[in-house]
Amino acid sequence: MLDALVTVVVILACAGVVCAMAAARVVKQYERGVVFRLGRLRSDVRGPGFTMIAPVFDRLRKVNMQIVTMPVPAQEGITRDNVTVRVDAVVYFKVVDPAEAIVAVEDYRFAVSQMAQTSLRSIIGKSDLDDLLSNREKLNQGLELMIDSPAVGWGVHIDRVEIKDVSLPETMKRSMARQAEADRERRARVINADAELQASKKLAEAAKQMSETPSALQLRLLQTVMAVAAEKNSTLVLPIPVELLRFLERGHQPPGAARSDGGSAKEQVPAGQEPPPAVQEAPPAPAVPTLTEREPEREPERAVER
């Protein structure tokens, strides 16, 4: 009798241990537990840690509360200005209501993915190409609102949406490259023209200053010659200005040499020396009459035989 009682106690203890092990659940820190009792949702959501459920009647579903990073497949569409583009994005979302995420939608991840693809196609058709390339922040906000509106009823919060890449056709890339090159060339020409204008003003001021002092032009010429002569890989041809020759000629001419009496300048003979003999000028050559002044030559008379 005692043996039978011990056996029953042991069996009950084993059954209790098995039931306790079946009822014990551990919920991680980033998870929440949703309990269904006989198919009905219990109002209490199990938090992280150790929890117990009825082994036969209850079923525990764990929901991840972390932020999920979901890439959106590239979607091809036509922009408002009729340009074919291919755009891909990424969605960051998390579950804020575990019960709604389990009950309201069959698979909230798949639902968010499909909604993101549909919204991305819609935002491509409503935007211009320039907005897709330069004004992405505004498009990201609009895309986030479009996805978040239905996701609120699923217990999901869209944290952020980012457009990753915009793929353009090769012809459009070449056209944009030519446009950018033309714009840069235009700016370069404007800058060069502005530089020429400023340089011309400075040169005009320098020319005005040099006109007051002509020797400054000669000094500037010599400085240019020195700068060019520093490079020994070229041949320098220096034009000598006429003003410089006249200046040198006036420097070598003795004082009082040139007189304005109409005659030739006479050389001054120092005292004690005889003047050099005068050079007699050669008599002028007789004038040769021209052909018109010459008498016509007579031809010798020929005897005519009659």
Side-chain angles (χ1 to χ4, degrees):
M1 186 68 181
L2 184 60
D3 295 338
L5 184 60
V6 172
T7 303
V8 172
V9 172
V10 170
I11 291 174
L12 292 176
C14 292
V17 171
V18 171
C19 290
M21 293 178 61
R25 294 289 186 274
V26 176
V27 181
K28 298 180 181 179
Q29 181 65 36
Y30 54 85
E31 294 177 340
R32 298 294 182 271
V34 180
V35 180
F36 291 91
R37 178 166 293 178
L38 297 178
R40 297 190 62 177
L41 177 67
R42 295 294 301 271
S43 59
D44 54 336
V45 177
R46 306 299 174 88
F50 180 79
T51 184
M52 297 289 293
I53 61 173
V56 179
F57 305 102
D58 293 346
R59 186 178 298 273
L60 181 67
R61 291 281 303 273
K62 297 179 181 180
V63 181
N64 193 339
M65 304 295 291
Q66 292 176 319
I67 295 178
V68 181
T69 303
M70 177 180 293
V72 181
Q75 302 297 314
E76 187 173 356
I78 300 177
T79 60
R80 191 167 56 182
D81 50 354
N82 298 325
V83 179
T84 303
V85 294
R86 189 178 181 87
V87 183
D88 57 350
V90 58
V91 180
Y92 301 90
F93 68 93
K94 64 180 179 179
V95 178
V96 294
D97 191 348
E100 291 293 333
I102 297 299
V103 177
V105 64
E106 180 181 3
D107 187 355
Y108 65 89
R109 290 175 178 265
F110 182 74
V112 171
S113 176
Q114 295 300 315
M115 180 57 64
Q117 296 180 31
T118 306
S119 302
L120 184 58
R121 282 180 173 272
S122 178
I123 207 72
I124 290 174
K126 295 178 181 179
S127 305
D128 296 332
L129 179 61
D130 294 337
D131 295 335
L132 289 174
L133 296 176
S134 60
N135 197 10
R136 292 189 181 182
E137 189 66 27
K138 183 178 179 181
L139 296 180
N140 292 337
Q141 294 177 1
L143 191 59
E144 179 181 347
L145 292 176
M146 293 178 66
I147 302 175
D148 190 57
S149 297
V152 171
W154 305 336
V156 178
H157 172 67
I158 305 300
D159 189 69
R160 193 170 185 179
V161 181
E162 292 286 344
I163 295 176
K164 290 197 304 183
D165 187 23
V166 179
S167 300
L168 299 175
E170 294 297 330
T171 55
M172 181 59 64
K173 290 181 180 179
R174 290 194 293 268
S175 300
M176 294 177 66
R178 289 195 298 268
Q179 179 183 1
E181 183 179 357
D183 184 65
R184 289 184 177 274
E185 185 177 358
R186 177 184 61 83
R187 286 187 291 177
R189 289 184 178 180
V190 171
I191 293 173
N192 289 335
D194 191 14
E196 290 292 337
L197 178 60
Q198 296 180 8
S200 62
K201 292 181 179 179
K202 295 298 181 181
L203 289 175
E205 294 178 2
K208 184 178 179 181
Q209 186 69 23
M210 288 183 179
S211 62
E212 298 177 358
T213 56
S215 59
L217 182 61
Q218 306 299 330
L219 295 177
R220 185 71 184 109
L221 176 61
L222 295 177
Q223 290 178 357
T224 305
V225 171
M226 291 178 62
V228 176
E231 300 292 336
K232 299 182 179 181
N233 56 357
S234 59
T235 302
L236 178 63
V237 179
L238 178 62
I240 300 177
V242 180
E243 290 80 1
L244 182 59
L245 294 178
R246 291 175 180 174
F247 177 75
L248 296 176
E249 183 180 358
R250 288 197 300 269
H252 288 286
Q253 186 177 3
R259 297 180 181 179
S260 58
D261 54 355
S264 60
K266 297 182 179 181
E267 295 181 356
Q268 297 180 0
V269 180
Q273 295 183 4
E274 295 181 1
V279 179
Q280 296 181 358
E281 296 181 357
V288 180
T290 59
L291 294 177
T292 56
E293 296 176 355
R294 295 179 181 177
E295 296 180 358
E297 298 179 359
R298 296 181 180 180
E299 296 181 356
E301 296 181 359
R302 296 180 179 179
V304 180
E305 294 180 358
R306 293 183 181 182

